[in-house]
Amino acid sequence: MSDKVPPTLFQLPFLRCLVMGRASVAIFALVTGYVNSLGPLKKSRAGNADAALSGVAKSAFRRFGRFMIPAIVATTLSWLACQFGAYNVAHYANSAWIRDTSPRPSSSFAGAFYDLFKNLGTTWIDGYNAYDRIQWTLTFLLKGSMMTYLSLFALVYVKPRWRMVIIAGMFYFKWKSGDSLVGFNVFCGIFLAEASLDADVASFMAAHPFLQAIGSAALIILGLFFCSYPEEHPEWARWSTNLLRFGHWIFPSGVEYARFYPGMGADLVATGIMFNTTAKTILSHRFLCWMGKLSWPVYLLHAPLIRTVLTWVLFGASVRPSQGKDQNGHDLPPGWLPIANPWVVTFAIPLFYVFLYRVAGLWAQYVDPWCTNVTQRFEDMVFREEAKVDKPLLLS
C-alpha cells in the first residue's frame, strides 16, 4: 500500500486488527490490571483488607517467577535452535522482519553460552533479546504488574467510590504523561475490575438495558476502529488521516499515535465487552476460553516458530534468484528466497496456527507446571512459616 496503490484486504480498518500486534500488548496490560486486582478488591469490599494486603504481597513475589522463568525457558529453546542452524533459511527469506529478527549462531562454544546469559540479562535490563525480540514487552508488563500491586497496597483501605475516583485520576495522569504502552491500560483494567464489583453500576445497567446494549456495542466497534490505526504512513488512507487529525485534539503532544490508538481502542473494547451480555456469552465459549488459556505460551512461542517451521514451509523449497552482474562484470549476490506459491501459503498459514496451538498446549501441560513448581520451591525456601500457603500454587 502507498499513497497511489490501493490497500490490500488486511490493510482495511477492522480487518487490520487480525494481523496487527500492537493492540495485543495493550490488552495484556489491561488484563494484568484487571486480573491481578480483582481478588484483592473483592476482599477489600468485604471488609477483609488484611487478607487483601497479604494476597497482594504474595502475588507480587510470585509475579517474577510467572514472568521470568517461562521467558528463560523460551529464550533457551530459541538459543538452541539458533546454535543448531534452525534459523538458516530465515536469514535469506524475502521478509525483512523474519531476517532482522533471526539471530546467527555464535562463533564459538564458549561464546554461545556467553551470548545466552547476556541476552537473559538484557531482556530485563533494557528489553533486548536477540533470540526472541518480542520479549522486549516483558519488562513493561512486569512494571505494569508492580504498578497494580503498589496501587492496591495504597488503596486497599480506601472506600470503593473514592478508590474509583483515584484510579480514574491515575488513568488520566498516565494518559497525560504519555505512558501509552502499559500505564493507562493497567489503570483501565483496575477501574473495570472495581466497576464490575460495584452494585450501583450493576443496578444502573439493569435499569437501562437499551442504553447498555447500544452503548456497549458502540464502544466495541469504535475500539476496533481505533485499534486499526496503522503503524506507519496514516496519511495514505482517508480514514487513518482523519484519525491522525483527531489525535491532534485528544492526545498529548509528542506521543506516538500508533501506540495511543491501539491502547485506547483496547480499553474501549474491554469496557464494551464487560457491559455487553452477548459479547460475554460469545467470549465464554469453551473454545475461546481454551485459546485464552494458551495466550501466554502462544505469545512466547509464536515468533521462534514463525522463524523456523513456518519459514521452512514458505521459503525452504525456493531458490535464491540470480541478480545478474554488476557494471564490472562480476556476479551480484543472489536475491532473497521468494515465498511459495499462493496455494501453499493458503494452506500453510492455517495449518501453522493449528501447530502453534498444539505446541502451546504441550507447553501449558508440561512447562507451566514445572515453572510453577520452581516458584513454589523458592517460595518455600524464603518465606516465613506463617506466610506460606497451601499447595498447589496458582500463579496469578
Side-chain angles (χ1 to χ4, degrees):
M1 178 181 175
S2 69
D3 55 344
K4 297 181 179 179
V5 178
T8 61
L9 181 65
F10 289 104
Q11 290 175 330
L12 295 173
F14 299 104
L15 294 178
R16 294 180 67 95
C17 298
L18 299 174
V19 295
M20 291 179 63
R22 294 204 170 193
S24 62
V25 179
I27 292 172
F28 267 113
L30 186 147
V31 171
T32 294
Y34 184 90
V35 172
N36 291 316
S37 63
L38 192 60
L41 290 176
K42 285 182 179 179
K43 294 176 182 177
S44 176
R45 283 175 170 262
N48 199 357
D50 291 342
L53 287 175
S54 175
V56 167
K58 294 171 183 177
S59 295
F61 181 86
R62 297 169 190 153
R63 197 64 175 172
F64 288 93
R66 176 69 177 90
F67 266 75
M68 300 184 75
I69 297 176
I72 289 172
V73 175
T75 298
T76 303
L77 293 176
S78 181
W79 168 79
L80 285 171
C82 172
Q83 304 307 323
F84 284 99
Y87 295 139
N88 286 349
V89 175
H91 296 152
Y92 305 101
N94 189 19
S95 168
W97 180 86
I98 291 177
R99 293 196 308 271
D100 294 343
T101 59
S102 300
R104 294 184 179 274
S106 304
S107 58
S108 65
F109 184 80
F113 284 93
Y114 172 81
D115 291 339
L116 171 62
F117 289 108
K118 176 184 176 182
N119 281 275
L120 289 177
T122 56
T123 299
W124 304 100
I125 295 172
D126 57 18
Y128 179 78
N129 186 328
Y131 299 105
D132 198 358
R133 297 287 183 88
I134 65 164
Q135 290 194 21
W136 69 268
T137 62
L138 298 187
T139 54
F140 292 95
L141 294 175
L142 184 59
K143 290 177 182 177
S145 299
M146 297 302 111
M147 194 184 304
T148 301
Y149 296 132
L150 181 60
S151 300
L152 294 172
F153 176 79
L155 300 176
V156 71
Y157 287 107
V158 176
K159 295 178 181 179
R161 191 58 48 84
W162 282 107
R163 189 163 52 225
M164 294 178 72
V165 173
I166 295 171
I167 293 170
M170 291 302 301
F171 176 94
Y172 179 74
F173 171 75
K174 287 296 182 179
W175 177 283
K176 293 297 290 185
S177 63
D179 190 359
S180 60
L181 188 62
V182 171
F184 70 75
N185 299 301
V186 165
F187 284 103
C188 179
I190 301 174
F191 187 88
L192 291 179
E194 189 76 75
S196 69
L197 302 172
D198 195 90
D200 291 338
V201 173
S203 299
F204 178 83
M205 292 299 170
H208 302 84
F210 180 78
L211 177 63
Q212 177 184 2
I214 299 300
S216 59
L219 288 176
I220 294 172
I221 295 172
L222 185 61
L224 291 174
F225 182 63
F226 286 160
C227 286
S228 305
Y229 189 83
E231 296 181 16
E232 297 178 338
H233 301 293
E235 70 278 2
W236 284 355
R238 180 177 297 178
W239 66 270
S240 53
T241 300
N242 292 331
L243 285 181
L244 178 64
R245 294 170 180 167
F246 183 57
H248 296 333
W249 289 89
I250 63 172
F251 295 144
S253 60
V255 300
E256 186 180 359
Y257 290 6
R259 289 289 180 196
F260 255 82
Y261 266 121
M264 183 173 66
D267 293 349
L268 293 177
V269 170
T271 304
I273 289 174
M274 194 178 83
F275 295 113
N276 190 292
T277 305
T278 302
K280 286 194 291 187
T281 301
I282 294 173
L283 293 176
S284 298
H285 189 275
R286 183 173 61 179
F287 177 72
L288 295 179
C289 289
W290 172 78
M291 293 184 68
K293 181 181 178 181
L294 298 180
S295 61
W296 177 236
V298 165
Y299 183 78
L300 290 175
L301 295 171
H302 78 279
L305 290 178
I306 287 175
R307 297 193 301 265
T308 53
V309 176
L310 185 60
T311 299
W312 297 341
V313 174
L314 297 183
F315 300 95
S318 303
V319 178
R320 298 179 67 183
S322 173
Q323 297 286 86
K325 300 180 182 295
D326 61 18
Q327 59 184 1
N328 298 320
H330 301 134
D331 290 333
L332 293 171
W336 305 120
L337 290 170
I339 196 169
N341 68 68
W343 284 108
V344 173
V345 175
T346 300
F347 287 99
I349 292 180
L351 290 175
F352 170 76
Y353 275 101
V354 175
F355 174 75
L356 172 61
Y357 273 88
R358 175 55 180 161
V359 175
L362 295 174
W363 178 287
Q365 183 177 357
Y366 296 105
V367 179
D368 278 346
W370 180 82
C371 295
T372 300
N373 289 334
V374 171
T375 305
Q376 178 67 66
R377 290 179 182 179
F378 185 65
E379 179 180 318
D380 291 341
M381 181 177 67
V382 302
F383 269 29
R384 298 198 306 263
E385 290 298 325
E386 64 270 22
K388 293 180 181 180
V389 296
D390 295 333
K391 298 178 182 180
L393 169 67
L394 294 178
L395 293 179
S396 57

